[in-house]
């Protein structure tokens, strides 16, 4: 059979490999993730929320990019965050986000702080 990783036809052993990186969130990203966590906790506790797509790729590859707008302008970052939900539609979860914001924030804090 040959040595592991010897070339074509060999399977990669993903379970023996691990990637460890701390993702640094901007203040706006922190606010967004806190909002999503709060909505999930209050209205959809059985829902698993995962982050996917280009935002994750860029955070893993680019590391700590402090100015997301500058990173996007130079082709080095992604500002939209894609969420994958386990048992609720995106539309229904967005409705829950709106409900949470109406119940917990005044209009100035929703748009003015972040």
């Amino acid at each position: 059979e040959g040595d592991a990783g010897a070339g074509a036809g060999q399977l990669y052993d993903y379970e023996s490999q691990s990637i460890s990186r701390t993702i640094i969130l901007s203040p706006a990203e922190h606010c967004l993730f806190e909002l999503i966590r709060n909505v999930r906790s209050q209205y959809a506790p059985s829902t698993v929320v995962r982050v996917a797509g280009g935002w994750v790729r860029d955070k893993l590859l680019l590391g700590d990019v402090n100015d997301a707008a500058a990173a996007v302008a130079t082709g080095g970052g992604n500002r939209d965050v894609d969420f994958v939900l386990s048992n609720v539609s995106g539309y229904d979860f967005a409705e829950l986000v709106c409900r949470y914001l109406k119940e917990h924030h005044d209009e100035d804090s929703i748009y003015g702080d972040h």
Side-chain angles (χ1 to χ4, degrees), residues 94-107:
E95 290 285 322
L96 295 175
V97 170
C98 290
R99 178 177 165 192
Y100 180 89
L101 290 172
K102 287 178 184 174
E103 292 175 2
H104 292 86
H105 297 283
D106 59 65
E107 189 171 321

Side-chain angles (χ1 to χ4, degrees), residues 6-42:
Q10 296 294 320
L11 295 176
Y12 185 79
D13 184 7
Y14 290 98
E15 292 184 19
S16 69
Q17 304 299 315
S18 66
I19 298 173
S20 177
R21 179 184 285 270
T22 300
I23 294 178
I24 307 296
L25 300 178
S26 71
E29 290 166 339
H30 178 75
C31 181
L32 172 64
F33 284 103
E34 187 174 318
L35 170 64
I36 297 302
R37 181 182 7 220
N38 291 342
V39 170
R40 181 206 160 273
S41 294
Q42 185 162 344

